[in-house]
Amino acid sequence: MKMMNKLEKKLGVENRWDMMTEVKRMQISLDRMYTDLQADGTSDELNAIKVSIANLNYLLMQINNKRSPA
């Protein structure tokens, strides 16, 4: 078990976890903006936020896939 901990630190798993939490915070902010814009925003603005949220979901998956050493 000690060797796994050393391996995870060496491969930057902790940094990836920090990245994932930051991306999740960005998603929460974009969700709030989307909710606020639904009342009076244009369809272009809403679509841009939807695309941004989708891109962050994709980024989150990519970071998570490479997080554990294979």
Side-chain angles (χ1 to χ4, degrees), residues 3 6-7 9 11 19 23 28 30 47 51-52 61:
M3 293 306 288
K6 287 181 184 178
L7 181 63
K9 288 180 184 176
L11 292 176
M19 287 182 216
V23 169
I28 291 169
L30 284 175
N47 286 335
V51 169
S52 299
M61 286 189 316

Side-chain angles (χ1 to χ4, degrees), residues 39-52:
D40 60 350
T42 65
S43 63
D44 288 338
E45 291 170 332
L46 294 173
N47 286 335
I49 291 180
K50 285 181 191 178
V51 169
S52 299

Side-chain angles (χ1 to χ4, degrees), residues 23-67:
V23 169
K24 288 179 185 179
R25 285 185 199 141
M26 288 183 222
Q27 286 178 314
I28 291 169
S29 296
L30 284 175
D31 285 339
R32 282 190 206 130
M33 283 189 244
Y34 184 82
T35 304
D36 292 344
L37 271 178
Q38 278 182 327
D40 60 350
T42 65
S43 63
D44 288 338
E45 291 170 332
L46 294 173
N47 286 335
I49 291 180
K50 285 181 191 178
V51 169
S52 299
I53 293 170
N55 286 337
L56 286 177
N57 281 333
Y58 180 75
L59 173 63
L60 195 62
M61 286 189 316
Q62 294 303 312
I63 292 171
N64 190 34
N65 287 342
K66 295 186 184 348
R67 187 167 53 94

